Amino acid sequence: MPTMNIIQAVNDALRTEMRRDDRVVILGQDVGKFGGVFRATQGLFEEFGPNRVLDTPLAEAGIIGSAIGMALYGLRPVPEIQFADFIYPAFDQIVNEASKMRYRSGGQYACPMVIRTPCGGGIRGGHYHSQSPEAYFIHTPGLKVVMPSNPSDAKGLLSASIRDDNPVIFLEPKRLYRAARGEVPEGEYVVELGKAKVVREGDDVTIVTYGAVVHTTLQAAEKAAQEDGISVEIIDLRTLLPYDIDTILISVMKTGRVLIAHEAAKMCGFGAELSATLNEKALLHLQAPILRVTGFDIPFPYTFEHEYLPNEKRLRKALQDSINF
Amino acid sequence: MPTMNIIQAVNDALRTEMRRDDRVVILGQDVGKFGGVFRATQGLFEEFGPNRVLDTPLAEAGIIGSAIGMALYGLRPVPEIQFADFIYPAFDQIVNEASKMRYRSGGQYACPMVIRTPCGGGIRGGHYHSQSPEAYFIHTPGLKVVMPSNPSDAKGLLSASIRDDNPVIFLEPKRLYRAARGEVPEGEYVVELGKAKVVREGDDVTIVTYGAVVHTTLQAAEKAAQEDGISVEIIDLRTLLPYDIDTILISVMKTGRVLIAHEAAKMCGFGAELSATLNEKALLHLQAPILRVTGFDIPFPYTFEHEYLPNEKRLRKALQDSINF
Amino acid sequence: MPEGLVRILRPDGKVEKGQKVPSINPKDLIHLYRVMLLNRRVDERMTTLQRQGRIGFYIGSVGEEAAIIGSAFALEEKDWIIPCYRELGAALLRGFSLFEFCCQLFGNAQDSIKGRQMPNHYASAKLRFGSISSPVGNQIPYATGIGLAARLRGTAEAVLVYFGEGATSEGDFHVAVNFAGVYKTPTIFLCRNNQWAISMPRELQTASKSIAIKAKAYGIEGVQVDGNDIFGVYSVTREAVDRARRGEGPTLIEAVTYRLGAHSTSDDPRAYRDDEEVEGWKEKDPLCRFKLYLMAEGHWGEEKDAYLEEEIKNEIQAALKKSERIGPPSIDTMFEDVLDRVPWHLKEQLEELRRVQELDAVQQEA
Amino acid sequence: MPEGLVRILRPDGKVEKGQKVPSINPKDLIHLYRVMLLNRRVDERMTTLQRQGRIGFYIGSVGEEAAIIGSAFALEEKDWIIPCYRELGAALLRGFSLFEFCCQLFGNAQDSIKGRQMPNHYASAKLRFGSISSPVGNQIPYATGIGLAARLRGTAEAVLVYFGEGATSEGDFHVAVNFAGVYKTPTIFLCRNNQWAISMPRELQTASKSIAIKAKAYGIEGVQVDGNDIFGVYSVTREAVDRARRGEGPTLIEAVTYRLGAHSTSDDPRAYRDDEEVEGWKEKDPLCRFKLYLMAEGHWGEEKDAYLEEEIKNEIQAALKKSERIGPPSIDTMFEDVLDRVPWHLKEQLEELRRVQELDAVQQEA
Ligand SMILES: Cc1ncc(C[n+]2csc(CCOP(=O)(O)OP(=O)(O)O)c2C)c(N)n1
Ligand SMILES: Cc1ncc(C[n+]2csc(CCOP(=O)(O)OP(=O)(O)O)c2C)c(N)n1
Ligand SMILES: [Mg+2]
Ligand SMILES: [Mg+2]
């Protein structure tokens, strides 16, 4: 199996799915000849031409609106929003149109599309090149939400999303784009949506996380094992909606302690939902409060981005707090 | 004290604050001569003229964008969005501009404004005249979020919001507009933001709620007292961000059982945040799982709106479940 | 496209000097008239129904029938219609049945959208008629997208999208028409400029000289037509469709018309506009005008008209009678179609609802 | 406003036939030249700094200085500037200090925005210079709002808002200019049409003949000017400001210019555009052109120029030296200014962070 980074894996998924299904069409700012500002669509314009890879004017509502039209027509658009921070001009089209199309038409119209967009911090991007908007979309019925943490999942989940019959928000943790490398299966490769992965087994505390934070939790778990003697189990959710409740529950039943980690702001973030659901379903198994290590409830800062992010220190402290409760 | 409904109380607050402070300016679709589609601004155009009450073109981004400009200039705009369901074209201006203006300018620019908008269901409005989008705004750092449940709070909270130095999302439960009547203090009247109100005292279960659902929970509590012998305490949050954690904790310490009720969808709704925070802060006091009775995770339906809403039956069932746990 | 206002049929039913009536065979002419009349009578009847509390809401198109039906008539079956909320006439012309329409008004078990939306928010994929939503202007970007898809696939399908002059103020109008201009999509943007957006008059929407002139901002064709003249509307739309099929790109059509009725059953227009203005426009009624023409040409007569009125009345009555007694959809449908398959959390929520309903049934029995 | 492209100063530094140079006194002329040169040298220096890893990002305006500085010069102090991200020249002209600018690049303790945003995202309320944000076009609606507020309050302040031609595709551009047209706000919409939006050429943004023609969609004045000609830009802006003050409403100015450099330090334009194109535009450089004019008029000479270059170099060096050694803001500032007062949940979060840092300090000592 070839080794790739996430950008290459995304590119591979796009290419493979475009070869497989000629209804798959890419559109977005700078995605054509230029290959995207992160180079995720590099070479696709050359291979598939201007009828499959469309450079667009600078208007996210136009990109998503056009994609909805394409989906209604029967194509499988994969629009790119250059940064997740810039998805809001299209918010109305996403939450009032794409997400409700199937339901409101009584199932007559489907709206299969994958909105790919880089998210998250750690690249010195400040307020507007670092946001993690997943909670907005998880709260909106009618969407699926996906966030991979490594190259092979990126390929498999993106392929699955493209084949899925629903509008999917596909969030790519941009600080991993080149940082996360790994083996990626060649050719068609699909990772089923809705299935989490236990990326580290352990007995004392369960960490539920996703995206770039998976890596931070792995490091923190290593340290916690070595220095604090805490055995941590880590679940990479991969699909945030619908998320894999079974995998989480099995782990929580075992450990009785839970820590949820994500980059997005804490208040009403996805961690809140996970915590509330575990409270409903597993209260008697909890040996300590469910802790959340997340971005703070402030706009994503520039100078203090490493303090803002759920870093190793904050994770280890929370693990200790959980164990010592 | 005169008796008013919520529309009249809102109108009274607007008039009183406009008389008090000539920087207060109203803008929105149909708010001028016509007095607003719900008549909330009736008579204000006549009293204050076209320089204080502005009819706008049909563009929410323009309304909120203009309001931001007015706020930067030093005015105190009170834009109206005709229905909360139509706020999304302005979502970018709210979450990327208004909410971050103070922070990103290092405190140089403030953005005091009150976005008034009718929310919630129960008026046969279907998908697009029934939404409760509070979670989107609670998740966005830099905003305050308020939702009154009765006329005197509507007046007092709206006045406080207009005097507040932050952007405030002021959500008005439209099905109460004419249904909720009560005495309202005359003249200037302010209800401090950030303070909840215990609207019913009880010992067995705490219900944390806000907006129109306050009334449903009061009815359910009455029934539960009479028929099931359950004593329910009800907290009307009034301000959703920053919410009044102390009042909630005091009640939860007493009852040990919590039910959170709101109309918005459950997944990543505000109930999730409240539950997660109580789990963090009061786990050992919980005698049962924290239950959520909320809108379902579907677009707001038309024919089944009463099944969708947190109705008396669902609330009573949840109270029983909590007690019987 | 011609400059200035295009008009073929004058308010008095006579043909404007120097203009030619498009060649439409008499059968079609009478069909068009029938659909216009049906549309008008349905609007009237359902408004009454709403007042009687039998339906929750209604929004009609009295006065705008020519703009809607004349333009839709310029399409072929393979073309798409993306409606705003007043295009019942276009749906009826396409073959949407009155019964289906009534089921949607009641949100009943035979409503093809399963009781999920307010009245007037139907959809018909079979007829390539879009799913109606309430947010003003939201449909315009995806009309561009459908056109773009058709162009990419090399079919010669056109897309006709409707909206009011109020919608032109939204950002969605702008991005949609701009994209269409860049990609030369086969999209016809039909603005029903009915002079009002609820209480907001046309002058407050925009300071531009006309709506049609906005085409210049996107480098596309723009034309203004008397929207109460079915021949004028048909002709300019037909021309736009032909251009679209030839790959020559989109057209913005401003159909100058007037909303004779209230915005919807929730509205009372007397609060914001003068009766005189309304009376003035009543003299330009598209239906009268067309009828006068048909009579003058010998295609139509008062007797036939009376018969048609009766026929339509019965048709509406029959559709109502049949649809009103149908009960609501099954409660399960509430959780379907959110996603293509029902995910675990919605299964749980359906279970929760079922348990509550069972409990309730038990309690009511006791 | 005149039709067609306005140009006063030709690329060769000579005055276009039939055109008159606006009356600006020599001191101001030289000041303008100084700010343009300073802007250019700062851009060059900071780009290097970014390559050296000393700052994280930089975005400059090489080639667009005349469009930016010429327009800003048409304002008075009481007027507002709402910038996009390339308007350093306008800020410098207003009196924004190089030291303040550098502190913002480093996000240090003396950065007036407290280290909260990426480089080039400064703000100065004192100078009535807006807070820069990254999302393209977002500033345009509130420039309309500031103008509207000024009009409502009856002051004669004008508002100058900057954006690129890419931004005209966003819905925010549309709603902003449309509102401005309806309310006749004293807003000047200055579009730097620098031909590129990252890799997207002007032709892909819109099919309209020009950007200026879009004014017709809003019933406002529109004018196209050679954006590399400081006199042309100044003149049309000045005229627009005068009209704004007289209550005659907004103007859309298209300054035709070119981004000579990369989009930002994250970009490599060789991937999407030809060197020839760039070379062609280098011959139209606004700075050279202005210098040639000043020399020809006897206001300037090579010696003075060399001296100025040296002065600027030292100035930049001094500002950098002083700012680079300032440490980060205190960690508490991270939780300030989210709301006007720090709410309980942010106090808790600050506490959490402090505890972690203390623990960490303890562990590092151990
Ligand atoms: C985004 C949005 N804002 C506000 C509304 C409320 N609203 C419904 S119809 C309407 C007026 C629409 O006017 P116009 O576009 O001219 O269409 P018309 O009703 O005249 O056919 C308004 C403001 C809405 N439905 N959607
Ligand atoms: C809403 C939004 N979408 C995308 C981007 C990414 N982006 C940053 S600058 C830019 C191009 C802007 O082009 P233009 O408006 O012409 O201004 P210029 O950079 O040429 O001065 C893009 C696409 C953004 N910042 N904001
Ligand atoms: Mg209208
Ligand atoms: Mg540009």
Side-chain angles (χ1 to χ4, degrees), chain B residues 22 55-56 62-63 65-66 69-70 73 92-93 97 102-106 108-109 142 165-166 243 245 281, chain D residues 113 116-117 123-125 129 131 133 138 142 145-146 153 155 157 172 179 183 334 336-337 339-340 344 348:
Chain B
D22 76 356
D55 271 319
T56 66
I63 296 171
S66 296
M70 291 173 158
Y73 189 87
D92 192 28
Q93 286 290 325
E97 298 297 321
R102 183 189 295 272
Y103 195 77
R104 80 178 193 212
S105 67
Q108 293 183 72
Y109 285 109
D165 253 336
N166 303 287
Y243 66 93
I245 184 69
K281 291 184 186 291
Chain D
I113 67 159
R116 290 184 185 148
Q117 288 210 78
S124 176
F129 190 94
S131 158
S133 76
N138 280 21
Y142 50 87
I146 297 175
R153 302 301 267 194
T155 66
E157 297 155 14
D172 274 356
F179 269 57
Y183 298 122
M334 203 173 153
E336 292 166 4
D337 302 322
L339 296 173
D340 61 337
W344 67 265
E348 285 189 3

Side-chain angles (χ1 to χ4, degrees), chain A:
Chain A
M1 273 196 277
T3 296
M4 295 185 188
N5 63 28
I6 289 192
I7 279 289
Q8 292 163 329
V10 163
N11 188 272
D12 190 18
L14 291 170
R15 189 186 308 273
T16 308
E17 293 303 307
M18 288 181 83
R19 285 180 183 164
R20 182 180 170 269
D21 182 351
D22 75 356
R23 296 170 307 167
V24 179
V25 173
I26 287 174
L27 68 164
Q29 294 153 22
D30 307 296
V31 300
K33 222 170 110 189
F34 188 47
V37 292
F38 288 103
R39 333 298 295 147
T41 55
Q42 198 156 28
L44 302 179
F45 180 85
E46 288 72 13
E47 177 169 347
F48 300 100
N51 279 2
R52 302 281 303 281
V53 185
L54 281 83
D55 271 320
T56 66
L58 211 175
E60 290 72 15
I63 296 171
I64 301 303
S66 296
I68 294 174
M70 291 172 158
L72 293 177
Y73 189 87
L75 304 186
R76 304 228 146 213
V78 186
E80 174 180 301
I81 297 294
Q82 205 159 78
F83 284 82
D85 317 66
F86 306 139
I87 204 166
Y88 309 119
F91 202 72
D92 191 29
Q93 286 290 323
I94 298 171
V95 310
N96 263 342
E97 299 297 321
S99 72
K100 296 180 174 55
M101 191 60 81
R102 183 190 294 273
Y103 195 76
R104 80 177 195 212
S105 68
Q108 292 183 73
Y109 285 108
C111 196
M113 57 193 269
V114 184
I115 303 178
R116 286 187 45 247
T117 188
C119 71
I123 59 146
R124 311 207 68 190
H127 290 10
Y128 298 109
H129 296 80
S130 309
Q131 296 175 29
S132 296
E134 66 270 19
Y136 296 132
F137 301 113
I138 295 169
H139 183 54
T140 306
L143 302 172
K144 289 192 175 182
V145 183
V146 176
M147 197 190 296
S149 70
N150 61 67
S152 71
D153 281 352
K155 176 169 176 177
L157 292 167
L158 181 53
S159 300
S161 299
I162 293 172
R163 297 183 193 187
D164 197 89
D165 253 335
N166 303 288
V168 179
I169 311 289
F170 193 86
L171 297 158
E172 302 170 0
K174 70 178 87 69
R175 84 158 167 278
L176 300 182
Y177 266 159
R178 294 196 159 74
R181 295 183 60 81
E183 296 202 326
V184 175
E186 276 175 294
E188 291 191 22
Y189 175 61
V190 166
V191 171
E192 194 185 340
L193 300 188
K195 300 281 176 222
K197 191 160 86 184
V198 176
V199 293
R200 187 184 204 281
E201 298 199 4
D203 299 311
D204 298 335
V205 186
T206 300
I207 299 185
V208 185
T209 186
Y210 51 92
V213 186
V214 169
H215 300 270
T216 328
T217 58
L218 281 166
Q219 287 157 13
E222 218 43 62
K223 275 262 177 82
Q226 286 163 22
E227 301 187 17
D228 311 321
I230 304 175
S231 165
V232 178
E233 177 143 312
I234 300 177
I235 296 173
D236 177 357
L237 282 180
R238 307 198 291 187
T239 299
L240 313 190
L241 198 100
Y243 65 93
D244 184 349
I245 184 68
D246 295 334
T247 299
I248 301 174
L249 281 175
I250 290 168
S251 178
V252 172
M253 303 281 181
K254 177 171 71 174
T255 62
R257 296 174 196 273
V258 190
L259 193 158
I260 300 161
H262 58 62
E263 279 187 40
K266 185 178 189 183
M267 182 70 71
C268 253
F270 187 37
E273 177 60 35
L274 294 169
S275 172
T277 298
L278 288 176
N279 186 298
E280 282 158 26
K281 292 183 185 294
L283 181 64
L284 296 185
H285 298 272
L286 296 178
Q287 290 166 38
I290 299 169
L291 297 179
R292 289 178 284 168
V293 177
T294 68
F296 296 118
D297 288 313
I298 63 175
F300 196 104
Y302 179 72
T303 297
F304 291 125
E305 82 169 322
H306 291 294
E307 285 73 13
Y308 173 91
L309 290 170
N311 55 36
E312 208 182 287
K313 295 179 210 168
R314 289 175 59 205
L315 288 164
R316 271 187 66 200
K317 173 80 168 61
L319 288 170
Q320 292 162 10
D321 288 350
S322 180
I323 285 291
N324 297 333
F325 180 77

Side-chain angles (χ1 to χ4, degrees), chain D residues 1-219:
Chain D
M1 286 278 170
E3 294 260 325
L5 183 87
V6 174
R7 178 187 289 134
I8 296 174
L9 201 58
R10 299 192 322 208
D12 60 7
K14 303 224 166 72
V15 175
E16 195 77 60
K17 223 178 270 165
Q19 290 287 0
K20 250 195 68 192
V21 168
S23 67
I24 303 175
N25 70 49
K27 219 180 111 212
D28 283 342
L29 284 177
I30 287 165
H31 182 61
L32 282 172
Y33 177 71
R34 187 186 200 286
V35 175
M36 282 173 80
L37 190 68
L38 177 61
N39 189 359
R40 175 80 51 105
R41 297 299 171 244
V42 169
D43 283 351
E44 290 163 355
R45 185 80 185 89
M46 301 310 165
T47 302
T48 309
L49 224 64
Q50 192 277 339
R51 293 224 183 83
Q52 296 167 339
R54 288 158 67 189
I55 55 176
F57 171 87
Y58 193 78
I59 187 161
S61 50
V62 174
E64 304 180 49
E65 296 92 344
I68 294 162
I69 296 164
S71 52
F73 185 64
L75 300 184
E76 294 174 23
E77 247 179 54
K78 66 173 177 184
D79 300 319
W80 295 70
I81 293 181
I82 303 301
C84 172
Y85 39 68
R86 295 196 201 279
E87 283 71 23
L88 173 61
L92 293 171
L93 192 74
R94 276 254 150 145
F96 195 63
S97 85
L98 216 48
F99 172 67
E100 238 178 308
F101 179 68
C102 291
C103 287
Q104 200 278 319
L105 296 180
F106 293 115
N108 68 24
Q110 292 203 38
D111 170 13
S112 58
I113 67 159
K114 308 187 188 174
R116 290 184 185 148
Q117 288 210 78
M118 284 173 81
N120 300 88
H121 288 66
Y122 46 93
S124 176
K126 199 176 64 216
L127 299 176
R128 294 205 155 180
F129 190 94
S131 158
I132 298 171
S133 76
S134 317
V136 165
N138 280 21
Q139 72 280 21
I140 317 179
Y142 50 87
T144 296
I146 297 175
L148 179 52
R151 215 213 65 194
L152 296 179
R153 302 301 267 194
T155 66
E157 297 155 14
V159 183
L160 174 60
V161 56
Y162 292 93
F163 49 90
E165 84 293 347
T168 66
S169 296
E170 289 281 5
D172 274 356
F173 165 80
H174 176 70
V175 302
V177 187
N178 192 48
F179 269 57
V182 168
Y183 298 122
K184 287 185 165 264
T185 72
T187 314
I188 296 110
F189 297 95
L190 195 132
C191 176
R192 292 181 287 90
N193 175 3
N194 64 5
Q195 313 305 328
W196 291 93
I198 310 186
S199 80
M200 306 293 295
R202 150 71 179 86
E203 308 78 63
L204 253 165
Q205 280 307 332
T206 179
S208 72
K209 282 202 200 108
S210 70
I211 301 294
I213 202 177
K214 290 177 188 282
K216 289 204 189 301
Y218 312 105

Side-chain angles (χ1 to χ4, degrees), chain A residues 22 55-56 62-63 65-66 69-70 73 75 92-93 97 102-106 108-109 142 166 243 245 281, chain C residues 113 116-117 123-125 129 131 133 138 142 145-146 153 155 157 172 179 183 334 336-337 339-340 344 348:
Chain A
D22 75 356
D55 271 320
T56 66
I63 296 171
S66 296
M70 291 172 158
Y73 189 87
L75 304 186
D92 191 29
Q93 286 290 323
E97 299 297 321
R102 183 190 294 273
Y103 195 76
R104 80 177 195 212
S105 68
Q108 292 183 73
Y109 285 108
N166 303 288
Y243 65 93
I245 184 68
K281 292 183 185 294
Chain C
I113 68 160
R116 289 184 184 145
Q117 289 210 76
S124 177
F129 190 94
S131 157
S133 75
N138 279 21
Y142 50 87
I146 297 175
R153 302 302 268 193
T155 66
E157 296 155 14
D172 274 355
F179 269 56
Y183 297 122
M334 202 172 152
E336 292 167 4
D337 302 322
L339 296 173
D340 61 337
W344 66 266
E348 285 189 2

